[in-house]
Every structure is written in structure tokens, then in C-alpha cells.
């Protein structure tokens, strides 16, 4: 818990099928998957700071890697025209 015993795991992007490797504490993963704790609260250190990047957390939420997320949801509002 609190990112102290991180183990290597992989996740696959649901769009491009790229495999992303990340280190996650199994207890934090269980809190998120089995107990429904939101990713921004599940993967934090003892001081409450997230130890996963926003892109790594997005993998848990949407299943998309950072590159696919940028293509699907561009930050430029003019890209939607």
C-alpha cells in the first residue's frame, strides 16, 4: 500500500495494442480494481502524492495509452472542427 512494494506490470492500449510497462503496488491495484477506489486516490504515496503519471493513470481509466488519448481527444479546440 502507498506505493511501497511496487511490482512491474503491463497493460495494453485498447486502441493501438501497444504494451505499456509500469510499476504498481499490488495492494493499491487491489484497492482500485476490487474496491472501486479512484485511480487518483488509489495510487498515492504516504504523503498523498500520486506515484503514477497522468498518462499511466489514464490507462486504468480508459484503457488508452498517452499517444492514442492525444489523437482521440486533442487539447486544441480547433481540432474538433
Amino acid at each position: 500500500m502507498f506505493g511501497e512494494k511496487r511490482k512491474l506490470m503491463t497493460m495494453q492500449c485498447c486502441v493501438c495494442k501497444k504494451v505499456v510497462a509500469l510499476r504498481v503496488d499490488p495492494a493499491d491495484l487491489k484497492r482500485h480494481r476490487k474496491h472501486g477506489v479512484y485511480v487518483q486516490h488509489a495510487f498515492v504515496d504516504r504523503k498523498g502524492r500520486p506515484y503514477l503519471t497522468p498518462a499511466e493513470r489514464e490507462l486504468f481509466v480508459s484503457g488508452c495509452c498517452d499517444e492514442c488519448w492525444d489523437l482521440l481527444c486533442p487539447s486544441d479546440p480547433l481540432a474538433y472542427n
Side-chain angles (χ1 to χ4, degrees), residues 14-39:
C14 66
V15 178
C16 69
K17 306 302 181 201
K18 177 175 105 175
V19 176
V20 179
L22 39 128
R23 292 196 177 274
V24 175
D25 189 318
D28 294 340
L29 183 62
K30 181 179 179 182
R31 289 188 318 140
H32 169 64
R33 288 198 172 152
K34 298 215 180 203
H35 302 293
V37 177
Y38 294 133
V39 291

Side-chain angles (χ1 to χ4, degrees), residues 11 20 22 24 32 38-44 48-66 69:
M11 293 184 70
V20 179
L22 39 128
V24 175
H32 169 64
Y38 294 133
V39 291
Q40 63 265 38
H41 302 300
F43 303 105
V44 296
R49 296 177 300 214
Y51 63 81
L52 294 178
T53 66
E56 291 170 334
R57 292 192 306 262
E58 188 60 41
L59 268 170
F60 287 99
V61 175
S62 67
C64 291
C65 69
D66 193 35
W69 182 258

